[in-house]
Amino acid sequence: QQQVKQSPQSLIVQKGGISIINCAYENTAFDYFPWYQQFPGKGPALLIAIRPDVSEKKEGRFTISFNKSAKQFSLHIMDSQPGDSATYFCAATILLAAGNKLTFGGGTRVLVKP
Amino acid sequence: DAGVIQSPRHEVTEMGQEVTLRCKPISGHDYLFWYRQTMMRGLELLIYFNNNVPIDDSGMPEDRFSAKMPNASFSTLKIQPSEPRDSAVYFCASNTDPEGTYGYTFGSGTRLTVV
């Protein structure tokens, strides 16, 4: 059972454009939602994260929007750059539960064209 | 810190052979996770340890898979016998913040090909 659904599977955006990736979760006990960025041949790396007590978090060109009632959250990459080309994973976990094991979405491959 | 170190980076083996993947977590991290990544199933948690003790192995696909953590600085994931459907990238990750807010640190993975 996939508890975190991510879309789209891939997207192409022009340099300077906005990339938007959406995720939906089922388990209302989830209380921490990180995003990971993965480059080819590398492991995923933490990009940005949000807790459900805030509706938005911004770090540089990356913004997470969170809608608790809809059980949805999204990543916006503003002014997309070719160096942002990577696979992005949303994830969810229950903080303070043993191990904080992450449940990942299926990933979105982003290609930023120069 | 060198980060999470995995070896080998690539492994090609024949069906039926035993395969051992290795991981060295970041010093001081008390949680260690093994994930498998495939195109079809994405990132799947196989097993995780806390203070060298396996906590949840419900993601281990079958008895052919086993994992150990003999000490705080070393873990292995073993597949015996290996099958072509085990071909995937296997990641090890470690974590220490009990709230998880610093996120996992992943290794660079081991790409396993079973022919």
Side-chain angles (χ1 to χ4, degrees), chain B residues 69-83:
Chain B
M69 193 166 185
N71 57 63
S73 59
F74 184 66
S75 177
T76 60
L77 179 66
K78 184 177 295 185
I79 308 173
Q80 166 64 23
S82 58
E83 297 182 2

Side-chain angles (χ1 to χ4, degrees), chain B residues 9-114:
Chain B
R9 288 298 311 274
H10 302 274
E11 177 78 41
V12 180
T13 190
E14 292 185 348
M15 181 174 63
Q17 297 297 306
E18 177 181 293
V19 176
T20 300
L21 312 181
R22 298 172 176 79
C23 174
K24 175 179 169 54
I26 291 175
S27 177
H29 280 194
D30 48 7
Y31 285 95
L32 184 140
F33 306 82
W34 282 100
Y35 277 86
R36 178 172 67 176
Q37 185 176 37
T38 61
M39 289 295 294
M40 290 296 293
R41 301 175 69 88
L43 279 161
E44 300 175 278
L45 176 64
L46 300 178
I47 184 172
Y48 75 94
F49 296 82
N50 177 220
N51 292 322
N52 313 335
V53 177
I55 302 301
D56 184 351
D57 65 353
S58 60
M60 297 286 261
E62 48 197 275
D63 292 345
R64 296 185 297 106
F65 287 69
S66 63
K68 294 181 179 180
M69 193 166 185
N71 57 63
S73 59
F74 184 66
S75 177
T76 60
L77 179 66
K78 184 177 295 185
I79 308 173
Q80 166 64 23
S82 58
E83 297 182 2
R85 58 192 169 119
D86 302 330
S87 297
V89 180
Y90 291 81
F91 287 104
C92 175
S94 67
N95 187 16
T96 185
D97 182 356
E99 291 192 353
T101 53
Y102 298 117
Y104 295 7
T105 301
F106 281 83
S108 294
T110 294
R111 182 175 295 275
L112 173 65
T113 303
V114 183

Side-chain angles (χ1 to χ4, degrees), chain A residues 47-67:
Chain A
L47 182 64
I48 186 173
I50 196 169
R51 300 198 194 201
D53 53 347
V54 298
S55 60
E56 186 175 282
K57 183 175 181 179
K58 183 177 181 180
E59 290 186 2
R61 296 182 294 106
F62 299 90
T63 299
I64 302 177
S65 298
F66 189 85
N67 186 330

Side-chain angles (χ1 to χ4, degrees), chain A residues 31-107:
Chain A
D31 58 2
Y32 183 66
F33 302 88
W35 285 86
Y36 283 77
Q37 180 188 53
Q38 184 181 29
F39 293 105
K42 300 293 185 182
L46 180 65
L47 182 64
I48 186 173
I50 196 169
R51 300 198 194 201
D53 53 347
V54 298
S55 60
E56 186 175 282
K57 183 175 181 179
K58 183 177 181 180
E59 290 186 2
R61 296 182 294 106
F62 299 90
T63 299
I64 302 177
S65 298
F66 189 85
N67 186 330
K68 187 174 182 178
S69 60
K71 294 187 290 185
Q72 296 176 347
F73 56 111
S74 61
L75 176 70
H76 294 228
I77 307 174
M78 313 300 288
D79 186 26
S80 297
Q81 300 296 312
D84 297 332
S85 297
T87 299
Y88 293 82
F89 294 91
C90 61
T93 189
I94 303 170
L95 291 180
L96 300 181
N100 304 304
K101 59 181 181 179
L102 290 170
T103 299
F104 284 92

